[in-house]
Amino acid sequence: MRMTVSQPVVSRTVKQLEEAVGAELIDRSTGEARPTEAGSVLLDHARAAVAKFDHALSSARSLSRPLLLGYTWSMLDSRILSTVETWESAHPLHPIVTRRCDDRLAGLGDGSTDVALVRERPTGLPGRPDDAYRSLTLLSEDRYVALPRDHPLSERTVLRLDDLATEVFVDNTMSGTVPSGLWPPGGGPQRRLPVETFEDWTFAIAAGRGIGLTPASTAALRPHPSLAFVALAEVPPVDLHLAWRAGSDHPALAAFTSHMKRAFTPSASSP
């Protein structure tokens, strides 16, 4: 093993140890430096002490592990942010690190997040049981129609699905919030424009290529000056769930989910 200290320093340190022990630790009678019996005993105990110290460091680091919070789009509104702030004030060893993921599980599927804000309750993945995840509902939001600001329907105060039948529907296939059953039988949009990211969704609508459906939180954020948002009536709301993997070993997960549930009571509900 290559030493990172000079030989005089090593010799001086060994001499100090020998004085503290009261016995020689290195056999200097041969050309090779070998530990004496006392030196071997001290070396074994020193190795055990270093291993225990490494374990102590590892345990301490695990206690200060950040919590990785995944989300897709239009989810980090003021309600979520204020709840995260109160969590971090009370739990400084477990700060929240947010990660945007353009998939419906917001990083839970590949393990890149510890907990996630999702629009649909996770129901498992191929090869994994349906109970691979746990979740709780935080809140529900009204749906809005996103349109180009110069669209004729943008002046309306309320729209219904029937009003959109002839429109091109911009469909976020990766992290959208529109279930197939939202449209009445035979009443869905005649044309669809599939996109994969929130930015592409926003750009397509702003450029006049179609319209989209989105939760109220997106309308509140006003993601683009060329977009208008009109309330959509007679449709079910959009739920926001907090989800995590069953069996997760994160030390702060149980406390965080309880914190979120308390913050959103009475709208929060257990699975």
Side-chain angles (χ1 to χ4, degrees):
M1 182 177 67
R2 190 180 185 129
M3 292 187 297
T4 57
V5 294
S6 64
Q7 183 61 45
V9 172
V10 173
S11 298
R12 187 162 58 249
T13 302
V14 171
K15 188 66 176 174
Q16 291 171 344
L17 284 172
E18 288 179 332
E19 291 175 355
V21 172
E24 289 189 348
L25 302 177
I26 302 294
D27 183 357
R28 301 177 178 82
S29 63
T30 64
E32 256 182 80
R34 296 181 177 276
T36 62
E37 182 178 359
S40 295
V41 171
L42 182 62
L43 181 60
D44 289 342
H45 284 285
R47 284 172 174 163
V50 169
K52 288 183 179 179
F53 182 70
D54 287 343
H55 178 71
L57 285 179
S58 178
S59 299
R61 289 191 186 106
S62 69
L63 291 176
S64 60
R65 180 174 159 191
L67 195 64
L68 306 180
L69 175 64
Y71 70 100
T72 53
W73 47 293
S74 74
M75 294 186 184
L76 297 182
D77 65 4
S78 59
R79 295 164 293 182
I80 298 296
L81 292 176
S82 63
T83 306
V84 167
E85 288 176 359
T86 57
W87 163 264
E88 291 189 327
S89 296
H91 301 84
L93 294 179
H94 301 291
I96 300 298
V97 176
T98 56
R99 288 186 176 177
R100 176 178 157 183
C101 306
D102 285 318
D103 68 81
R104 295 183 187 278
L105 289 176
L108 289 179
D110 62 10
S112 59
T113 57
D114 299 308
V115 63
L117 296 167
V118 297
R119 293 296 183 180
E120 300 174 5
R121 286 186 183 273
T123 56
L125 291 172
R128 300 185 66 177
D130 286 349
D131 62 353
Y133 302 98
R134 300 286 183 269
S135 65
L136 63 89
T137 304
L138 298 179
L139 53 85
S140 296
E141 299 183 70
D142 292 333
R143 295 182 189 269
Y144 275 69
V145 183
L147 314 101
R149 187 165 291 280
D150 58 358
H151 194 288
L153 294 177
S154 67
E155 299 298 323
R156 300 269 293 272
T157 56
V158 177
L159 291 170
R160 291 170 176 78
L161 289 177
D162 290 345
D163 299 320
L164 311 176
T166 60
E167 301 292 333
V168 176
F169 177 61
V170 182
D171 186 10
N172 185 337
T173 59
M174 296 299 292
S175 58
T177 61
V178 183
S180 58
L182 182 70
W183 308 92
Q190 298 177 7
R191 294 171 293 168
R192 291 177 181 263
L193 175 61
V195 296
E196 294 187 352
T197 69
F198 176 64
E199 288 81 10
D200 291 342
W201 180 87
T202 302
F203 178 81
I205 298 173
R209 297 176 183 175
I211 60 95
L213 302 185
T214 192
S217 52
T218 306
L221 291 173
R222 299 288 173 183
H224 196 284
S226 297
L227 295 186
F229 294 90
V230 179
L232 184 63
E234 301 175 3
V235 291
V238 187
D239 292 333
L240 179 62
H241 310 281
L242 185 72
W244 59 95
R245 294 184 305 279
S248 172
D249 64 350
H250 196 289
L253 180 59
F256 181 73
T257 56
S258 295
H259 171 79
M260 294 292 283
K261 187 173 182 177
R262 287 193 302 271
F264 285 91
T265 300
S267 60
S269 61
S270 298

